[in-house]
Amino acid sequence: MQKRRTMIISVLLIFIVSTFLVSMTLGTFTMSPAEVFQTFFGLGSSQQELVLFQFRLPRMVLAILVGAGLAVSGAILQALSRNDLADPGILGINAGAGLAIVLFIYFFQGSYADLGWSIYLLPMFAFLGALVAAFLIYTIAWKQGVTPVRLVLVGIGINAGFMALLIVFQLRMNPNDFMQATIWLTGNIWGSSWTYVLAIFPWLFVLMLLVLRDANTLNVMRLGDASSVSLGVRVEQVRRRLLVFAVGLAGASVAAGGAISFIGLVAPHIARRLVGPRHGVMIPVAALVGAFFLLFSDMIARNVLSPSEIPVGIIVAMIGAPYFLYLLMKTA
Amino acid sequence: MKKIYPYMSGILLTVALTSACGNGSADSDASESAQTLTDGAGNEVNVPDSPERIIAPYLEDPLLTLGETPVVQWSVMNGSSHQAYLEESLTDIPFIDFELPLESVIEADPDLIIVPDSASLGGGEYNQYDQIAPTYVLSSDTENDWRAALLEVGEVLGEEQAANETIEEYEAHVNEVREELMSEVGSDKVAALWLTNGTYFIVAPSVASGTVLFDDLDLEPANAIANIPADAEAHWNELSREALAELDADYIFLVNSDGESSEALMTEDVWSNIPAVDQDQVFEVDPDGSWLYNGYQANRQTIDDVAAHILGE
C-alpha cells in the first residue's frame, strides 16, 4: 500500500513537471524547446526572458497554486458535509468571494485593469466574502447542530442568491468592466504576474499545512457526527474550524483565478479513487490532481484558439463536466 | 502517512524558489528615450524619440492622421471585426486581438504602445506591457472626443503642431461644407439609422456620425434624436417600431448591416409616413464605413458621404 502511494504521487509529480515543461514552450510567441532551455539558464534574449519569466512562469505557478487550493477546499467540504457533491462552487463560497471582489472593484477602484498595489488586498476581500457566504450557510442551516444535507441545500440556495446579486452589480458597471468581470467570473488566470503569486502564496501555504494537521480529524468526521462524538471529537467546533480553512483556501484561489468550478469537485474524487479515503494521503494527492488539472487546462486555454485566449474555466468545465457525469452514472 | 509531508512542502518550496528567481529579471532595453510624460493613468512613461514600431489599438485613426502606420491593428476574433473604414491605409497590417494578449504584443515587437484606456490592457497588468515597450494610456476625457485624442496622441509622438493643423484644416473644411448644405437643406431634419439584426438604432446627437451631422455640420436633428437624454451613454439607441413610424426626418442616412435591400425595406408600412421616404431622400451608406466611428479619418469620410448624397458631389 505504502509503495502504491509513493508510486501514485511520483506519477502525478511527473505529470505536473512534464506539463510544466511542455507548457513553457507553447504560446503565441515562438520559442523552441532549446531556446526555452537556454533562456531558463540566463542565455536567452531579453524578449525571451520576458516571455518566459514574466508571462509564462507566473501563470503556470499560479495555475498550480489555484488548482491545489480549490482541490483541497473541495476535499474538506466533501468530508464535512459527507456529501460527494460538495465543492466551493456549488456551496456558494466561490460566489461569495466573487461578489466581494466585484464590490471591491465597483466601489473602490476605477476598473479591474488598474488595481495596482491593492492586489494584495484582494485575497483578504475574497476571504471575507467567502466567509460571509459560509457564515450565512452555516447559520441558516443550523438546527441544533448542522446536518450535512442541510448544509448542502442551504449552500445551493445561497449560491443562487449571491449569483443574482453579482448580476445586479455587474449590470451597473460600464461595458468594459462588465466584460472583464464576466471573463473573470468564468475563471481565468491570464495576465497573471508574480504579484498575484506572492499575494496568494502565503495564504495557501499556511492553510494547507493547517489542513494536513487536521487530516485525522477529517477521517473521523467523514464517519458521521455520532461516531465522531463517540471518538471524542468536538464536532461543531471542529466543523467550524475546518470550514474556515476551506473558505480561506477557496477565497484565496478565487481572488487569483476567478470562480473556477469543478476542480474542487472532481479532484478529491479522483484522489479517493487513487489512494482511498484517508485524508492524510488523499488531501496531498487531491492537491496534486487539482494542480495538474488546472495547469493542463490552462495550457489548452492558452493555445487552442491562439492568438486569442479562452477563459480557463471553460476548458475546466469542458473536461470536468463529462468526467463528473461519468462518475455519477457509474455509482448510481 | 507522515511520509507525505516532505513531498508537499517540497512542491511548495520549489514554487517559492521559482517565484523568487523570476522576480528580478528581464528588463526591456531602455533605449535613447527623449521625453518622460505622465499619462492619463498617472504612469511616468519614457516615450522614445522617434518610435518606429507603434501599437495603438483602436487609435489607428489618429495615428494614421499623424502620418504613422501601426505594426498591428485592432480586431476581434482574428479580424472577423475590424475598422474596415481604414482598410485602404491598413492593408497588410496584421491583426491583434482586442484583449492584447501579452505574447501577441511581444511578437509584434513594438517600441511604443498607446491605448485609449486601462481597460484596453485586457491581457495583463500595466507593468507587464510596460516591460515590453513604454506604454501610454490616454486620459479619460479623450473617450468621446476625437480632437482631444488626436492632440494627446500628437503630444506623445511629438507631433502637436501637425495635430493642431489637422484640426484647423478640419474645421475649415467643415465650415465650407456647412455653408453649402445650409442653402440646400435649410431647417429640414436629418437622422442616421443603423439597421442590424432586424433592429433599428438611431445615433446619439454628440457621438459617432451624430457629432458630425449635428455639431459640425449644424444640421437639424430629427425628433427621435432630439429626444435622447443628453447623458445617454450608448452611441446608438434602439428605436422602437412606433418611434420609427413617427420619425420626422427629411433626410435619412441608413447604415444597413443586414444586407436586405433598402428598397424592399421601404415598402414596409412602418416607413410610409416618414417624410424622407416621400421625398426619396433615404441614402444607404456603406455598413463597413465610417458612420459608426469618430476620428479625423472617420469624420472626413462621413462628411464626404453627406456631401455626395445631399449635394450630389
Side-chain angles (χ1 to χ4, degrees):
Chain A
M1 195 59 193
Q2 185 67 47
K3 216 171 163 191
R4 184 179 141 84
R5 276 182 217 150
T6 320
M7 201 186 76
I8 283 172
I9 289 179
S10 315
V11 168
L12 278 171
L13 282 176
I14 290 169
F15 273 10
I16 291 180
V17 170
S18 41
T19 313
F20 199 89
L21 291 176
V22 172
S23 194
M24 279 205 291
T25 65
L26 292 177
T28 315
F29 185 80
T30 338
M31 272 167 102
S32 70
E35 282 170 332
V36 169
F37 189 76
Q38 284 170 358
T39 311
F40 200 81
F41 292 99
L43 297 169
S45 70
S46 67
Q47 267 193 342
Q48 290 169 335
E49 280 187 13
L50 198 59
V51 169
L52 189 64
F53 290 119
Q54 299 299 324
F55 301 165
R56 287 187 192 164
L57 273 183
R59 183 170 173 160
M60 289 189 284
V61 171
L62 201 71
I64 290 176
L65 289 176
V66 169
L70 288 171
V72 174
S73 178
I76 301 171
L77 291 171
Q78 288 177 10
L80 287 186
S81 63
R82 263 177 288 126
N83 187 322
D84 290 351
L85 283 177
D87 97 328
I90 291 170
L91 281 184
I93 291 172
N94 283 357
L99 181 62
I101 287 174
V102 167
L103 285 179
F104 180 69
I105 294 164
Y106 183 75
F107 283 115
F108 299 110
Q109 297 289 330
S111 86
Y112 191 61
D114 39 34
L115 279 172
W117 61 272
S118 52
I119 263 173
Y120 292 102
L121 285 179
L122 274 185
M124 264 313 273
F125 267 82
F127 175 69
L128 285 180
L131 202 63
V132 169
F135 177 79
L136 280 175
I137 297 167
Y138 198 80
T139 41
I140 296 176
W142 180 276
K143 199 176 180 185
Q144 293 147 359
V146 173
T147 62
V149 178
R150 284 177 68 90
L151 202 63
V152 172
L153 287 179
V154 172
I156 291 171
I158 296 282
N159 189 27
F162 274 52
M163 281 310 203
L165 272 178
L166 263 174
I167 291 172
V168 170
F169 279 99
Q170 271 187 283
L171 286 177
R172 297 181 53 91
M173 291 177 153
N174 72 43
N176 255 331
D177 284 351
F178 178 88
M179 263 277 291
Q180 293 281 338
T182 310
I183 290 173
W184 181 79
L185 288 169
T186 323
N188 96 76
I189 48 178
W190 69 49
S192 44
S193 62
W194 292 115
T195 334
Y196 278 91
V197 174
L198 292 178
I200 71 161
F201 177 71
W203 290 79
L204 292 179
F205 184 73
V206 171
L207 284 168
M208 282 197 194
L209 288 184
L210 286 172
V211 171
L212 281 177
R213 229 184 45 158
D214 262 335
N216 266 329
T217 326
L218 277 170
N219 290 339
V220 177
M221 292 291 282
R222 210 180 152 79
L223 297 175
D225 288 359
S227 323
S228 306
V229 171
S230 62
L231 284 167
V233 176
R234 275 185 281 182
V235 175
E236 288 306 330
Q237 197 193 338
V238 168
R239 181 150 39 217
R240 251 171 278 163
R241 182 174 74 222
L242 285 165
L243 204 56
V244 170
F245 292 165
V247 164
L249 286 167
S253 306
V254 170
I260 299 169
S261 54
F262 278 112
I263 288 189
L265 187 68
V266 173
H269 275 269
I270 297 178
R272 266 195 298 274
R273 286 174 70 100
L274 289 176
V275 292
R278 291 183 57 190
H279 287 84
V281 194
M282 188 276 259
I283 284 187
V285 171
L288 290 178
V289 172
F292 169 68
F293 191 5
L294 195 57
L295 185 64
F296 184 77
S297 302
D298 189 50
M299 184 173 78
I300 297 178
R302 225 151 42 92
N303 292 297
V304 69
L305 283 183
S306 170
S308 303
E309 296 184 351
I310 34 181
V312 67
I314 292 176
I315 301 290
V316 170
M318 275 163 62
I319 305 176
Y323 179 78
F324 182 64
L325 288 178
Y326 162 79
L327 270 186
L328 274 184
M329 279 159 64
K330 240 190 129 179
T331 46
Chain B
M1 193 184 72
K2 281 258 146 59
K3 290 237 169 88
I4 300 305
Y5 297 128
Y7 286 103
M8 201 63 189
S9 22
I11 299 167
L12 293 170
L13 193 69
T14 322
V15 167
L17 284 177
T18 343
S19 26
C21 301
N23 242 342
S25 55
D27 267 34
S28 56
D29 36 343
S31 48
E32 5 55 81
S33 55
Q35 48 171 353
T36 305
L37 296 173
T38 306
D39 74 357
N43 305 301
E44 300 274 323
V45 187
N46 263 331
V47 179
D49 209 0
S50 43
E52 274 162 9
R53 305 185 56 82
I54 306 174
I55 299 186
Y58 224 63
L59 292 171
E60 283 82 356
D61 192 315
L63 209 62
L64 290 167
T65 305
L66 296 170
E68 298 283 347
T69 309
V71 284
V72 287
Q73 60 169 314
W74 181 93
S75 75
V76 178
M77 290 173 67
N78 292 330
S80 76
S81 168
H82 64 285
Q83 293 158 292
Y85 78 98
L86 295 172
E87 210 150 41
E88 266 177 40
S89 324
L90 292 176
T91 9
D92 301 334
I93 303 292
F95 297 119
I96 192 165
D97 191 77
F98 74 104
E99 286 273 8
L100 298 186
L102 288 166
E103 293 199 15
S104 306
V105 174
I106 203 167
E107 187 88 336
D109 191 23
D111 56 8
L112 177 65
I113 302 170
I114 312 175
V115 288
D117 49 35
S118 315
S120 305
L121 300 173
E125 287 169 35
Y126 174 84
N127 287 335
Q128 291 176 304
Y129 289 99
D130 201 46
Q131 282 176 328
I132 302 176
T135 304
Y136 187 98
V137 182
L138 293 194
S139 51
S140 54
D141 54 4
T142 61
E143 191 185 340
N144 283 325
D145 184 350
W146 67 269
R147 291 177 181 84
L150 180 63
L151 288 173
E152 197 168 351
V153 172
E155 195 194 333
V156 176
L157 300 178
E159 300 275 359
E160 292 101 327
Q161 206 189 335
N164 276 312
E165 282 170 10
T166 306
I167 291 174
E168 276 166 35
E169 185 262 341
Y170 176 81
E171 309 299 354
H173 180 69
V174 162
N175 283 336
E176 201 178 301
V177 178
R178 183 168 49 212
E179 299 284 300
E180 289 175 49
L181 282 173
M182 196 63 86
S183 52
E184 180 70 33
V185 180
S187 61
D188 285 359
K189 296 188 170 177
V190 180
L193 290 181
W194 179 22
L195 172 62
T196 181
N197 293 326
T199 309
Y200 289 96
F201 292 84
I202 194 155
V203 75
S206 54
V207 291
S209 33
T211 181
V212 178
L213 294 174
F214 310 118
D215 292 334
D216 293 345
L217 298 177
D218 218 8
L219 297 166
E220 202 63 39
N223 53 1
I225 297 174
N227 289 341
I228 295 171
D231 60 346
E233 279 196 12
H235 291 190
W236 293 83
N237 295 265
E238 188 173 341
L239 195 65
S240 67
R241 291 270 146 177
E242 286 103 75
L244 177 59
E246 287 173 359
L247 196 67
D248 66 353
D250 301 287
Y251 295 89
I252 291 178
F253 294 92
L254 178 66
V255 185
N256 184 352
S257 299
D258 275 4
E260 208 174 336
S261 91
S262 51
E263 267 133 47
L265 283 174
M266 294 309 125
T267 59
E268 289 175 18
D269 279 348
V270 69
W271 285 91
S272 59
N273 287 323
I274 302 179
V277 181
D278 240 13
Q279 300 163 32
D280 202 16
Q281 293 183 139
V282 178
F283 307 116
E284 203 170 332
V285 291
D286 184 2
D288 291 326
S290 59
W291 285 69
L292 308 181
Y293 298 91
N294 262 148
Y296 174 79
Q297 312 279 339
N299 290 10
R300 282 297 296 252
Q301 291 182 20
T302 305
I303 293 172
D304 286 350
D305 275 349
V306 175
H309 285 298
I310 296 185
L311 303 170
E313 278 174 5

